Structure formats: structure tokens, C-alpha cells
């Protein structure tokens, strides 16, 4: 039992998770995020994905010609290596290969790469096991290697790694100058904590604990820093969904931010860990053991409906107001019997040399300024005539009925939508009954009566900055019982 405990702790420090012993049901994907199991998964543990230049790197316990399997008390414990596979599409990859220059016959774990794939940081045993039965835990350290002329240099332990503690699961910022990792250094908050080091003048700083906004009395593991500087990590703290759960923390606002648990389907009652996001911060890969007959597997997740909770709400222009006056006669005064009268071409009139009038909608209006007899209204003289063209305002429109019956499918579209200075790229719909859709024209049906909200969400490209921005508007709709 003692030896089994030693090996379990060693594997835990490397892979960073505690397995759930409960048989789990598979949750359905939400319509906001879709997940897909990759074709490269094996019957052994596969986790810690990292996509660099269309090469997917990951950790696996599958057998190979380099690795060995140690067994204690008749229980096999996997030895892990780093593999990679060339990308065919987001969910399909070519045959997996060992990263031979890095792997040894001992454990290699989660890794991070420089942006050009020319440097790798990874977890590994700091003292090699020479016998199946050992008397002490074999701790982990973080190593680095550089690629020179397409060949990897010999890995070297990072300078801040001290004996007696484990350092694992390195994550890099976009510029490569900040690293976050997991460690059981003394004076932490409990278990494994997340620490940060920075690179300056050719060396890494001493580790700094990321504090109790991120760390807890449980274990914090598998960090990842997205391109928009958000920290993602896994923790088995209490009040989670189950096992290891995925959390996020906004490093751009460290004083205002709090750690937030990610929603389903990224989290489940199983262990969910080792997440990686692409440059959009919407799609990526993660690891989970949610299917009971498999061990850890790697999944691709695609954000079908992005998060628009902090999107801008553009001003909606429902009325079109103008001030009318005739410059040539602006200083003229009404006579006792005559006055100036404006005919706005929409059935409405107003008397005064200078007036303000609001139109209900866009269109072409024949504007007339007449001098009329005050009592009879008869035109004495036609002062001016011209056509006012009111263009459709550049804004977002939800075009659909205001009232519908239960179960009846109806159409919704955003065909009239436009934004000044922007090119609309993508259109999404969020319905307050929990459903989502995409495209300028969609159909929907509500199953119950009530007052619902239809939200139009768009991603538009700013013509001046070439950046993509998010906008949204809402509309209420009444759903009545079918009588």
C-alpha cells in the first residue's frame, strides 16, 4: 500500500488530477458550445493539448518503444510522454508521433511553447527512478529546450526550481515573458498552488504566489494564459460541478476580477482540465474523463454562440426630427391675413416660418412652404417646394412580429441592419427560452406562453481599426396560448 501511494502521488503531481470513482452519465452539449472527441485518443490517458503551427502536442500514457510501465501491488501506473500530430482539420489529425528528442523512459508531462515553436517548457522527473520499489516520492521540475537548426537542445532545469518541491504544468503569456505554473512550495494556500515568474535580462525571477483570488486550500493545476490575457486553470475545490473543474480569471483586471467556474459542456461531474484556446479566445481543446469506459481524452470545443454579455448596445433611432426654415424669407414677418405654412408630405402641417417636425420612419417626403390665408387656409403663394429624403438609419434591426401563438414557427431577420463605419461579419440570435441560432434570417417557435426576449448579436469589423467588435440589441415578444 505504501508503494502504491508513492506512485499515485508521483502520477498526480505530473498529470495534476484526482480521478472520480463514480460512474458518470454523458451530458448533452449545449447549443452555445459544441464539443467533439478527437480521433487521436487512445485507451490510455491523453491530455494537456497545445496547438502550435498546426501541430497538436499532448501528453499520453500509451505504450511506445521508449517508455516503460512500472507496476506496484499488481496495479499498473502509466508512464507519460509528449506526442504530436499534424492537423487535418479542427477535430481530425494525422498519425501521432513521439517528440523523441524530449522524451525519456521516465515521465514527461504538460508543456508550453514559444510562439514560433522554437522553445519548449515541460514537466519532468528531476531524479530518475531506478527501481520499481522506491522509498520516496519522485518530484517534478520544469525543463526547457530550444530548437536550433530543426534540432532540440538537451533539456535543462529552470533556475527557480528548488529541491524538495514539485514544479509542473508551465503556461506562457503571449509574449513569452511570463510563466504560470503549479507547485507545492511552502507557505501556499494548500495542496498545489499557481505561481508566476517573469523573464528579464536572460533569466527567470523567483516565483510569486498568485494569491487567494486564484488559489484555494484545494489543488490548482493546469494553467493556461490566452492571447487576451485571461488565466484558465483547473481546481478540485469545493462547490464545483465535480472532480477537477475549469475556472477563469481576468489578468487584465486583477483587483476587480474573481475566479469564475466555466459552464457546461466544458465542465462536467468528471475531471475537466488542461484547456487551450486559439487566438480568437472562443475555440480550442481540453481534457476530460467524462466517458466512463475511457481514461482521459482530448476534445475540441467550438463556441457556436460567442459571449455577448459585455457587448455594446448601439443607439436606436426610431424618430427623425428636423428643423425647417426658408433662408430667403427668414426675416419676413406675418401679415395680418397671411402666414407661413409647412406641408410635410405625410398628412401633417405646421404654421410658422421656422418649425421643428419629427417623422416616424424613413422615406421620401415632398416638403412645401406656402403662404396661406390664415382663416381659409387657401394658398396665397407657393414659397418653396423640395423633396426630403430620409435614409434608413445605420443601426441594428430585429424584424419580426410582436405577438405570436405558442408552438407557431415564425421568422426573424436582421436584413435591414447596418452599422456606420462597420462591416457586419457574423449574426447570432439568443432566445430567452434557452435556444440559440445563427444567420441573418432564422425561424423559431416558443413552446410556452409568456413574454420573451429576442437578442440580436453581431460581430462587426471596424473599417478604421480593422478590429472585430461585438454589438447587441433586444426586442420583447408576447407569446399567447393557442385558443
Amino acid at each position: 500500500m505504501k508503494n502504491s501511494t508513492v506512485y499515485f502521488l508521483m502520477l498526480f503531481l505530473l498529470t495534476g488530477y484526482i480521478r472520480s470513482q463514480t460512474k458518470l452519465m454523458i451530458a448533452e452539449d449545449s447549443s452555445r458550445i459544441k464539443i467533439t472527441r478527437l480521433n487521436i485518443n487512445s485507451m490510455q490517458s491523453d491530455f494537456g493539448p497545445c496547438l502550435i503551427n498546426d501541430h497538436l502536442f499532448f501528453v499520453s500514457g500509451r505504450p511506445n518503444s521508449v517508455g516503460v510501465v512500472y507496476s506496484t501491488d499488481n496495479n499498473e501506473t502509466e508512464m507519460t510522454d509528449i506526442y504530436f500530430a499534424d492537423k487535418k482539420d479542427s477535430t481530425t489529425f494525422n498519425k501521432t508521433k513521439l517528440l523523441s528528442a524530449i522524451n525519456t523512459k521516465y515521465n514527461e508531462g504538460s508543456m508550453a511553447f514559444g510562439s514560433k515553436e522554437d522553445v519548449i517548457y515541460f514537466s519532468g522527473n528531476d531524479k530518475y527512478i531506478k527501481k520499481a520499489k522506491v522509498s520516496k516520492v519522485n518530484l517534478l521540475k520544469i525543463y526547457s529546450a530550444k530548437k536550433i537548426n530543426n534540432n532540440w537542445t538537451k533539456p535543462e532545469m529552470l533556475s527557480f526550481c528548488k529541491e524538495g518541491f514539485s514544479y509542473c504544468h508551465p503556461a506562457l503569456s503571449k509574449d513569452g515573458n511570463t510563466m504560470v505554473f503549479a507547485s507545492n512550495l511552502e507557505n501556499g494556500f494548500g495542496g498545489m498552488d499557481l505561481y508566476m515568474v517573469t523573464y528579464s535580462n536572460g533569466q527567470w525571477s523567483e516565483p510569486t504566489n498568485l494569491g487567494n483570488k486564484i488559489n484555494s486550500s484545494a489543488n490548482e493545476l493546469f494553467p493556461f494564459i490566452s492571447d487576451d490575457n485571461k488565466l484558465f486553470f483547473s481546481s478540485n475545490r469545493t462547490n464545483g460541478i465535480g472532480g477537477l473543474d475549469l475556472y477563469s480569471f481576468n489578468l487584465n483586471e486583477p483587483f476587480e476580477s474573481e475566479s469564475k467556474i466555466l459552464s457546461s459542456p466544458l465542465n462536467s461531474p468528471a475531471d475537466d482540465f488542461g484547456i487551450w484556446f486559439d487566438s480568437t479566445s472562443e475555440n480550442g481543446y481540453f481534457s476530460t474523463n467524462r466517458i466512463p469506459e475511457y481514461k482521459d481524452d482530448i476534445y475540441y470545443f467550438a463556441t457556436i454562440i460567442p459571449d455577448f454579455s459585455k457587448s455594446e448596445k448601439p443607439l436606436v433611432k426610431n424618430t427623425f426630427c428636423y428643423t425647417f426654415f426658408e433662408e430667403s424669407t427668414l426675416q419676413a414677418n406675418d401679415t395680418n391675413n397671411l402666414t407661413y405654412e409647412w406641408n410635410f408630405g405625410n398628412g401633417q402641417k405646421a404654421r410658422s416660418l421656422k418649425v421643428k417636425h419629427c417623422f416616424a420612419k424613413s422615406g421620401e417626403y415632398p416638403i412645401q412652404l406656402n403662404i396661406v390665408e390664415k382663416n381659409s387656409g387657401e394658398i396665397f403663394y407657393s414659397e418653396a417646394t423640395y423633396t426630403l429624403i430620409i435614409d434608413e438609419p445605420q443601426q441594428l434591426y430585429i424584424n419580426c412580429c410582436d405577438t405570436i401563438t405558442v408552438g407557431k414557427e415564425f421568422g426573424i431577420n436582421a436584413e435591414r441592419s447596418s452599422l456606420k463605419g462597420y462591416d457586419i461579419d457574423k449574426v447570432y440570435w439568443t432566445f430567452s427560452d434557452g435556444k440559440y441560432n445563427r444567420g441573418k434570417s432564422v425561424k423559431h417557435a416558443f413552446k410556452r406562453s409568456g413574454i420573451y426576449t429576442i437578442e440580436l448579436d453581431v460581430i462587426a469589423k471596424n473599417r478604421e481599426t480593422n478590429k472585430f467588435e461585438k454589438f447587441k440589441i433586444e426586442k420583447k415578444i408576447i407569446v399567447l396560448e393557442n385558443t
Side-chain angles (χ1 to χ4, degrees), residues 8 16 18 80 95 136 231 293 408 451 457:
F8 176 80
I18 300 176
T80 58
K95 185 178 179 180
K136 61 180 181 179
L231 174 67
E293 57 263 38
K408 183 177 180 180
I451 300 176
D457 305 312

Side-chain angles (χ1 to χ4, degrees), residues 4 29 48 124 185 204 251 310 324-325 464:
S4 178
D29 294 345
L185 280 167
W204 291 100
L251 295 174
K310 295 183 179 180
F324 295 89
F325 60 90
E464 183 175 342

Side-chain angles (χ1 to χ4, degrees), residues 1-8 10 68-77 79 105-107 128-138:
M1 185 65 182
K2 290 182 179 179
N3 286 337
S4 178
T5 302
V6 167
Y7 279 103
F8 176 80
M10 179 189 71
V68 296
V69 175
Y70 291 100
S71 62
T72 57
D73 296 342
N74 298 320
N75 291 320
E76 289 191 353
T77 300
M79 301 295 288
K105 63 180 181 179
Y106 304 101
N107 285 306
Y128 293 155
I129 303 170
K130 297 184 186 242
K131 296 181 180 179
K133 294 183 178 181
V134 294
S135 59
K136 61 180 181 179
V137 176
N138 194 271

Side-chain angles (χ1 to χ4, degrees), residues 130-414:
K130 297 184 186 242
K131 296 181 180 179
K133 294 183 178 181
V134 294
S135 59
K136 61 180 181 179
V137 176
N138 194 271
L139 302 178
L140 295 171
K141 296 294 184 283
I142 297 175
Y143 294 82
S144 69
K146 295 181 180 179
K147 184 182 283 187
I148 300 176
N149 295 327
N150 209 36
N151 294 313
W152 289 103
T153 61
K154 183 180 178 180
E156 296 182 357
M157 185 188 301
L158 297 190
S159 59
F160 57 79
C161 295
K162 298 178 180 179
E163 288 193 18
F165 303 100
S166 277
Y167 303 76
C168 55
H169 310 159
L172 284 178
S173 60
K174 186 177 181 180
D175 62 10
N177 293 326
T178 299
M179 179 186 293
V180 175
F181 60 89
S183 179
N184 62 347
L185 280 167
E186 58 187 348
N187 301 321
F189 291 90
M192 301 287 284
D193 281 352
L194 296 185
Y195 289 79
M196 181 182 72
V197 291
T198 56
Y199 191 77
S200 179
N201 297 322
Q203 63 182 3
W204 291 100
S205 66
E206 288 299 306
T208 300
N209 191 295
L210 289 183
N212 60 5
K213 279 194 168 187
I214 294 172
N215 292 310
S216 70
S217 59
N219 296 290
E220 280 68 48
L221 306 153
F222 291 100
F224 173 78
I225 305 173
S226 64
D227 282 1
D228 57 356
N229 208 32
K230 290 186 176 63
L231 174 67
F232 295 86
F233 62 95
S234 291
S235 176
N236 61 349
R237 63 187 64 180
T238 57
N239 301 321
I241 297 176
L244 279 174
D245 291 316
L246 290 159
Y247 291 81
S248 68
F249 184 88
N250 189 354
L251 295 174
N252 298 304
E253 301 174 347
F255 298 105
E256 295 81 8
S257 297
E258 299 290 340
S259 295
K260 296 180 180 179
I261 190 168
L262 304 190
S263 60
S264 173
L266 294 178
N267 275 318
S268 71
D271 295 318
D272 305 292
F273 60 100
I275 198 166
W276 179 93
F277 283 86
D278 64 17
S279 59
T280 68
S281 296
E282 300 282 358
N283 311 313
Y285 300 89
F286 76 110
S287 319
T288 180
N289 61 1
R290 64 186 60 187
I291 299 181
E293 57 263 38
Y294 298 116
K295 294 185 178 181
D296 304 312
D297 278 336
I298 300 172
Y299 284 73
Y300 174 72
F301 65 91
T303 303
I304 307 303
I305 306 294
D307 182 10
F308 285 88
S309 60
K310 295 183 179 180
S311 303
E312 291 188 33
K313 293 184 177 180
L315 294 175
V316 177
K317 187 174 183 179
N318 294 321
T319 57
F320 311 92
C321 298
Y322 300 86
T323 298
F324 295 89
F325 60 90
E326 176 60 31
E327 292 181 349
S328 61
T329 57
L330 185 58
Q331 301 303 319
N333 295 317
D334 291 352
T335 65
N336 290 333
N337 297 320
L338 301 176
T339 188
Y340 293 97
E341 181 180 79
W342 294 90
N343 185 331
F344 301 109
N346 61 352
Q348 296 178 302
K349 299 178 181 180
R351 290 185 177 182
S352 182
L353 183 59
K354 182 178 181 180
V355 297
K356 182 178 180 179
H357 182 72
C358 295
F359 297 86
K361 59 182 180 180
S362 59
E364 293 188 10
Y365 297 92
I367 308 299
Q368 290 182 316
L369 173 60
N370 300 314
I371 299 175
V372 299
E373 203 279 324
K374 289 182 177 179
N375 295 325
S376 67
E378 292 183 2
I379 297 176
F380 177 77
Y381 177 73
S382 181
E383 179 74 13
T385 301
Y386 57 93
T387 300
L388 174 66
I389 300 176
I390 302 177
D391 294 324
E392 192 83 3
Q394 290 187 300
Q395 62 187 36
L396 299 182
Y397 289 94
I398 298 177
N399 186 26
C400 70
C401 52
D402 297 318
T403 304
I404 196 69
T405 56
V406 170
K408 183 177 180 180
E409 190 176 63
F410 64 101
I412 314 106
N413 71 74

